[in-house]
Amino acid sequence: MLTPTAARVRPLLADDPPRAHDHQDEGTGIPADPGVTVKSLVRVGGTDGTWRGSSGVHDLVTHRKADPHGRFRAGSVTKIVTAAVALQLVAEGRLDLDEPVQHYLPGLLTEKFEPVPVRSLLNYTSGLKSGDGFDDEFAHRYDTLDPRTVVASAVAKGPEHSPGDEQHYRNIGYTVLGLLIEKVTGDSYAHQAEERIFGPLRMRDTYFPGTDPRIRGPHNRGYQTMKRADGTTRLVDVTEWNQYDRFAAGDMISSTADLEVFTRALFGGEVLPEPQLKEMLTAPEEIDGAAFGAGLQRMRIGDRVVWLKTGARYGYTTIIAATEDGRRTLVHSVNATDAKGEGMNAVAERIARAALS
């Protein structure tokens, strides 16, 4: 396993959008406008009925139709799988949400940290700062950054606040959760997700690639808008990218069909017992403005309260969402060229509001 040296890494926050770099020998050479959507796959379901749709192209070379069954990088939707695995361990009595991380992973955090409850990892209130990534992420897209290195860089910065005092959406808590799951089970996180979630739900398109930069099986190409030195932009093919540093926070590859199965099963009570599902759908009341429960985000769209999770990796933006009673579900994947830009992709947002309102 490759671990980058200090000379190859600088304090670029692992949750920050990447800077665009000019690589004269890379990309399609196609002038690009920020926010171009190459492909869109949509599944609306639930007890209210179902609808399926797809548009766009598989790639910008052949321009053949997008594969509606194509796999993609699901990004931070991974966190909901991680939360489900952790909460299953809670239901089994193998993990206690009120126990500190230090109890399960002694030595991981320094003495600067107060006891950090496991619950605070799940609901983004741990006080851990973001870990560091590569300075030029595109240039290092085939290199491996071990998630433990990311955690170590976060721990070295010390706590931002006491656990439970503030809620800040970050990857780092879920990276630590992946390590915690491995310690408690004595098994790899990826295998636990397969045994507990993917296998039982027959999610055959879903897996963790680890250090493999490729997407196995059928998939549509992903593109990212990048700037040239002269300020113009172009589309770069970013389909191949080693995402191992995202680990339990964002390394999953899936399909809209699989994520729909998972979303319906989750909200239908097939994945978690009722107390643990309630935990997932409970935001900390003591924090003003807190919108996240254990992974999922609460949002009002029209007259409905929905719980959702977005995910964005280079070239791919994903959403899973559902009303709390499961009457309406949405899974949406977009090959968006601004997938790691600030804010939600405009096409994805319009589709989400139309499907869930």
Side-chain angles (χ1 to χ4, degrees), residues 103-182:
H103 170 75
Y104 296 103
L105 295 168
L108 181 74
L109 304 181
T110 66
E111 66 280 356
K112 295 179 181 179
F113 288 84
E114 301 172 46
V116 177
V118 173
R119 178 180 281 107
S120 71
L121 298 177
L122 284 160
N123 64 16
Y124 311 102
T125 63
S126 69
L128 285 164
K129 296 179 181 178
S130 296
D132 296 339
F134 290 116
D135 181 20
D136 185 336
E137 294 191 303
F138 182 82
H140 290 284
R141 66 194 183 281
Y142 291 107
D143 294 337
T144 295
L145 181 58
D146 194 302
R148 291 165 184 80
T149 302
V150 176
V151 172
S153 68
V155 171
K157 300 175 184 180
E160 181 173 5
H161 57 78
S162 295
D165 281 2
E166 302 174 21
Q167 185 175 72
H168 298 288
Y169 178 80
R170 287 175 184 148
N171 287 330
I172 191 66
Y174 278 78
T175 305
V176 174
L177 271 172
L179 299 178
L180 193 155
I181 288 167
E182 292 188 335

Side-chain angles (χ1 to χ4, degrees), residues 307-331:
W307 289 88
L308 59 86
K309 187 69 194 76
T310 60
R313 297 312 307 148
Y314 303 94
Y316 303 92
T317 294
T318 306
I319 299 173
I320 64 170
T323 55
E324 197 163 322
D325 59 8
R327 289 183 60 84
R328 183 72 59 83
T329 64
L330 168 69
V331 176

Side-chain angles (χ1 to χ4, degrees), residues 23 55 135 237 251 270 321 348:
H23 300 274
S55 65
D135 181 20
D237 189 322
D251 190 33
E270 298 176 38

Side-chain angles (χ1 to χ4, degrees), residues 12-343:
L12 174 71
L13 299 185
D15 303 300
D16 285 349
R19 296 188 307 231
H21 301 276
D22 183 40
H23 300 274
Q24 297 297 336
D25 59 336
E26 300 288 347
T28 64
I30 301 172
D33 294 320
V36 170
T37 297
V38 178
K39 174 273 300 175
S40 182
L41 310 177
V42 184
R43 284 176 173 255
V44 180
T47 57
D48 288 341
T50 60
W51 184 85
R52 309 282 183 267
S54 64
S55 65
V57 296
H58 169 273
D59 62 83
L60 295 176
V61 177
T62 69
H63 291 276
R64 70 179 188 268
K65 288 184 178 180
D67 183 351
H69 307 294
R71 298 173 181 179
F72 49 82
R73 301 191 188 282
S76 287
V77 172
T78 305
K79 293 181 175 69
I80 310 309
V81 171
T82 304
V85 172
L87 289 171
Q88 284 187 1
L89 291 170
V90 171
E92 295 165 7
R94 302 173 67 183
L95 193 61
D96 187 333
L97 293 178
D98 296 318
E99 281 282 0
V101 173
Q102 292 92 327
H103 170 75
Y104 296 103
L105 295 168
L108 181 74
L109 304 181
T110 66
E111 66 280 356
K112 295 179 181 179
F113 288 84
E114 301 172 46
V116 177
V118 173
R119 178 180 281 107
S120 71
L121 298 177
L122 284 160
N123 64 16
Y124 311 102
T125 63
S126 69
L128 285 164
K129 296 179 181 178
S130 296
D132 296 339
F134 290 116
D135 181 20
D136 185 336
E137 294 191 303
F138 182 82
H140 290 284
R141 66 194 183 281
Y142 291 107
D143 294 337
T144 295
L145 181 58
D146 194 302
R148 291 165 184 80
T149 302
V150 176
V151 172
S153 68
V155 171
K157 300 175 184 180
E160 181 173 5
H161 57 78
S162 295
D165 281 2
E166 302 174 21
Q167 185 175 72
H168 298 288
Y169 178 80
R170 287 175 184 148
N171 287 330
I172 191 66
Y174 278 78
T175 305
V176 174
L177 271 172
L179 299 178
L180 193 155
I181 288 167
E182 292 188 335
K183 182 64 179 293
V184 169
T185 63
D187 191 12
S188 72
Y189 164 74
H191 189 251
Q192 282 292 303
E194 172 64 35
E195 290 293 302
R196 293 173 174 273
I197 309 293
F198 308 156
L201 295 180
R202 298 183 180 180
M203 297 168 64
R204 297 185 178 91
D205 293 325
T206 308
Y207 71 100
F208 287 93
T211 60
D212 187 349
R214 300 165 299 175
I215 299 177
R216 299 198 304 263
H219 59 276
N220 299 295
R221 307 298 295 182
Y223 298 90
Q224 189 76 19
T225 300
M226 292 192 176
K227 288 184 179 179
R228 295 186 176 96
D230 63 3
T232 60
T233 58
R234 61 174 178 171
L235 297 181
V236 175
D237 189 322
V238 293
T239 308
E240 293 189 359
W241 201 302
N242 182 342
Q243 305 280 321
Y244 184 57
D245 61 308
R246 297 315 189 218
F247 188 46
D251 190 33
M252 186 171 72
I253 287 172
S254 192
S255 67
T256 53
D258 273 10
L259 291 181
E260 182 177 54
V261 167
F262 174 65
T263 303
R264 293 175 65 177
L266 179 65
F267 284 86
E270 298 176 38
V271 175
L272 294 171
E274 186 175 350
Q276 282 69 48
L277 181 58
K278 183 178 179 181
E279 181 77 37
M280 183 174 277
L281 303 179
T282 301
E285 296 180 355
E286 64 275 13
I287 300 177
D288 186 42
F292 286 93
L296 290 164
Q297 180 181 5
R298 183 181 58 211
M299 181 178 293
R300 181 172 290 277
I301 298 180
D303 61 353
R304 295 176 187 255
V305 173
V306 301
W307 289 88
L308 59 86
K309 187 69 194 76
T310 60
R313 297 312 307 148
Y314 303 94
Y316 303 92
T317 294
T318 306
I319 299 173
I320 64 170
T323 55
E324 197 163 322
D325 59 8
R327 289 183 60 84
R328 183 72 59 83
T329 64
L330 168 69
V331 176
H332 182 210
S333 172
V334 179
N335 282 108
T337 62
D338 63 342
K340 292 303 291 178
E342 295 183 5

